[in-house]
Amino acid sequence: MTKDTADVTDPGPRSLDALEARLARDLDLLTLPPADWVPPQDGVPGGVLDVAIVGAGMAGLTAAFALRKVGVANIRLFDRAPAGREGPWATYARMETLRSPKTLAGPALGFSNLTFRAWFEAQFGRAAWEELHRIPRLQWLDYLNWYRRVTNPPVENETVLTAISGDGSGVTLDLTGPEGLRRVRARRVILANGRDGLGGPFIPPFWKGVDKRFWSHAHEAIDFQALKGKTVAVLGAGAGAVDNAAEALENEAAKVLMLVRRATLPRINKGIGAGHPGMVLGFHTLSDERRWAYNQYIADTGVPAPHNSMLRCSRHPNFALLTGCPIEQAKPDGGRLTLHTGRGVVTVDHVILATGFSVDWAQRPELAGIARHALLWRDRYVAPGEEGGDFAEHPYLGPDFEFLERVPGEAPWLSRIHAFNYAASLSHGKVTGDIPGISAGAERLADSIVAALFTEDYDRHWQRLLAFETPELLGDEWTEAEAFQ
Ligand SMILES: Cc1cc2nc3c(=O)[nH]c(=O)nc-3n(C[C@H](O)[C@H](O)[C@H](O)COP(=O)(O)OP(=O)(O)OC[C@H]3O[C@@H](n4cnc5c(N)ncnc54)[C@H](O)[C@@H]3O)c2cc1C
């Protein structure tokens, strides 16, 4: 059916109950999910999961449903956040709306009745959908919570991964949760632990040593009310800087200065220009040089703040944006901080670093077992002149998002752990966290885990085949001829 012939007059389901019935029907028509086909692992006390997923944000939930779609049901997700509060949406994300266009299918995995649009229209109608400009931030979280309810993965919340190790037959996760400390065994592990999954907030080298009472990082809890009447500097040029500046302005900061090191503000989101299926599905097959060059180009050109986010700041007369303004020195001055910048000296009460995240294994002690052995990009390829940069620390992943060993033979269990977080993007492109590519990434991941589980269990599948004795013909459907007639 083409767009012209589609029946756009159908109002679709008019309630979530009706939508959920349609989704159930979609699954029924496709005979999904299939029965769990993975043989149980015998003889392991307490049992062993086929797949453990660390993180139940968008990536973890999508991976879980992708696995369910291919009949892998012995899985469990663990998330340190309370139920319904996973991911950044209700914590340090401070934008009014998502950047992404509302029409993206996101984690729907090909099910039209699982999209944000279907969820939105079922509750608010088609006219409201037409009027919607961008998805409000907390409404996106409501949608993800609904997605979780209808796909129904087994999630344990308030449960933190504290260590990871492995051996020839699986991976061991040390977890701390409401029941205290415990160990869980899994044949495969997916790290869907977010934008900062292999690191944490990036603190620029020039800032190290500045007393913490003068500053916050944009990705931590900030008491914005305490900034009322204060002069606040926000360092950074992207969406995080603008969102935090807006939050300070709306909490009646006396003055907010957005200080940008770059000579000009990025204005073009280059990533959008490459957001087609070729890039999503083919990126991971490119040479090392091309994968690095693509990511480096996007990083160097910078990703601009969304149009509406910038307007949220510039409507305040006490907002000032200064480009070409690198910080050269920060010195305490009584209870304030004096910043020596490329454009002069200014004294402020508080600084918010909106400097993003970095892959920094030291900030993830729970992953030390992986960090010791994992092959990194610096072991394989670094673009000339980029030695010592952030990308060099990213894991060099295999085709199944799996970690590879730096020294072959030292930790073969690493290949049982799949990085399905931001740090995978140098190897696999934008399929492990952002809304546009998340379904494609989850399907690639689920397919590869299925293949691995099947191959590992092949002897048992062979035995099952030999033992399979359900007849299709019962023997009474025909009579054997006595002789040629
Ligand atoms: C402010 C902000 C705005 C964004 N806006 C957009 C946008 O408009 N469009 C877009 O496409 N993308 C956007 N993104 C990028 C991306 O969509 C989000 O980062 C999204 O949350 C990624 O989903 P995720 O599941 O990978 O990570 P998260 O949603 O962060 O989920 C990871 C989960 O892992 C859990 N976890 C981490 N470590 C542990 C541990 N040791 N033990 C147990 N649990 C753990 C966390 O509690 C968390 O719930 C935005 C990102 C940010 C930060």
Side-chain angles (χ1 to χ4, degrees):
M1 191 187 288
T2 67
K3 225 177 176 174
D4 296 339
T5 60
D7 179 8
V8 289
T9 58
D10 173 8
R14 302 312 307 265
S15 69
L16 284 184
D17 282 349
L19 176 64
E20 287 163 30
R22 284 220 188 170
L23 178 62
R25 171 85 175 136
D26 291 343
L27 292 167
D28 189 37
L29 287 171
L30 294 165
T31 326
L32 288 174
D36 187 2
W37 54 271
V38 186
Q41 303 296 295
D42 300 328
V44 181
V48 57
L49 295 168
D50 289 326
V51 185
I53 303 179
V54 180
M58 179 179 68
L61 295 178
T62 315
F65 191 47
L67 285 167
R68 203 62 199 90
K69 260 184 78 186
V70 287
V72 180
N74 178 25
I75 68 174
R76 197 154 324 143
L77 295 83
F78 304 98
D79 200 300
R80 65 183 170 198
R85 304 259 307 169
E86 297 85 355
W89 315 109
T91 53
Y92 65 81
R94 300 187 173 110
M95 65 283 190
E96 289 176 329
T97 66
L98 296 198
R99 172 199 294 277
S100 297
K102 64 180 181 179
T103 46
L104 292 176
L109 289 167
F111 293 99
S112 53
N113 288 310
L114 196 51
T115 56
F116 175 84
R117 178 175 175 177
W119 174 85
F120 183 92
E121 287 190 0
Q123 299 171 93
F124 311 111
R126 181 74 53 85
W129 170 257
E130 298 303 338
E131 275 166 28
L132 183 73
H133 171 55
R134 291 270 158 95
I135 300 173
R137 167 170 52 86
L138 291 177
Q139 198 166 45
W140 178 251
L141 179 60
D142 290 344
Y143 161 71
L144 289 178
N145 287 332
W146 173 78
Y147 181 100
R148 170 173 167 178
R149 183 165 66 71
V150 294
T151 59
N152 195 24
V155 184
E156 291 186 32
N157 282 97
E158 297 175 53
T159 302
V160 188
L161 173 75
T162 54
I164 194 162
S165 55
D167 54 41
S169 62
V171 180
T172 304
L173 304 179
D174 288 14
L175 299 164
T176 309
E179 297 155 20
L181 288 174
R182 71 190 218 274
R183 292 202 142 169
V184 166
R185 285 282 287 177
R187 296 175 67 189
R188 300 269 148 183
V189 172
I190 296 173
L191 292 182
N193 51 354
R195 185 74 187 66
D196 55 345
L198 300 190
F202 173 65
I203 313 294
F206 67 79
W207 200 256
K208 302 229 160 103
V210 178
D211 191 329
K212 185 67 177 69
R213 75 196 153 105
F214 293 116
W215 63 275
S216 312
H217 196 279
H219 302 302
E220 63 185 331
I222 299 175
D223 179 3
F224 279 94
Q225 281 173 7
L227 301 180
K228 184 173 175 175
K230 303 275 171 61
T231 298
V232 179
V234 180
L235 309 192
V242 171
D243 295 337
N244 280 274
E247 199 76 21
L249 289 160
E250 288 164 11
N251 279 278
E252 298 176 39
K255 202 188 283 182
V256 176
L257 310 169
M258 184 170 146
L259 308 183
V260 178
R261 180 178 42 92
R262 292 168 184 264
T264 54
L265 211 58
R267 288 170 61 180
I268 298 165
N269 188 349
K270 290 281 187 175
I272 288 187
H276 50 76
M279 185 60 91
V280 170
L281 300 174
F283 181 88
H284 67 296
T285 65
L286 295 174
S287 66
D288 292 352
E289 288 82 353
R290 285 188 165 168
R291 288 187 286 173
W292 185 296
Y294 174 86
N295 279 282
Q296 192 71 54
Y297 179 68
I298 300 286
D300 290 348
T301 47
V303 180
H307 177 75
N308 54 324
S309 303
M310 187 54 99
L311 293 179
R312 196 178 153 205
C313 290
S314 52
R315 69 170 80 107
H316 294 267
N318 51 338
F319 170 69
L321 189 154
L322 289 98
T323 51
C325 192
I327 307 295
E328 286 153 3
Q329 213 181 15
K331 275 195 182 158
D333 179 1
R336 307 184 83 204
L337 193 67
T338 297
L339 303 176
H340 295 254
T341 80
R343 294 190 53 185
V345 179
V346 63
T347 300
V348 301
D349 297 295
H350 197 75
V351 174
I352 300 175
L353 297 184
T355 42
F357 297 105
S358 62
V359 169
D360 176 5
W361 296 84
Q363 292 192 50
R364 286 280 176 171
E366 71 269 31
L367 304 180
I370 301 175
R372 260 194 295 282
H373 301 292
L375 185 75
L376 306 181
W377 271 78
R378 69 169 137 87
D379 302 315
R380 269 296 167 89
Y381 173 78
V382 175
E386 297 298 332
E387 298 80 7
D390 177 56
F391 286 160
E393 299 305 307
H394 287 223
Y396 188 97
L397 300 173
D400 301 340
F401 301 95
E402 78 278 26
F403 288 99
L404 302 173
E405 297 165 279
R406 193 176 308 133
V407 181
E410 268 193 358
W413 53 274
L414 277 196
S415 66
R416 295 178 173 276
I417 306 175
H418 306 259
F420 198 51
N421 53 30
Y422 163 73
S425 51
L426 192 52
S427 299
H428 277 264
K430 293 259 178 203
V431 294
T432 57
D434 289 352
I435 296 166
I438 196 68
S439 281
E443 278 175 341
R444 188 186 305 162
L445 177 66
D447 289 354
S448 60
I449 288 179
V450 160
L453 293 174
F454 173 69
T455 314
E456 258 169 54
D457 289 337
Y458 188 70
D459 288 344
R460 298 181 67 189
H461 289 293
W462 177 250
Q463 292 307 323
R464 277 183 173 186
L465 175 67
L466 298 182
F468 182 74
E469 290 202 326
T470 309
E472 284 197 28
L473 288 175
L474 300 175
D476 57 1
E477 296 90 348
W478 77 98
T479 334
E480 190 84 21
E482 296 284 331
F484 291 115
Q485 291 171 348

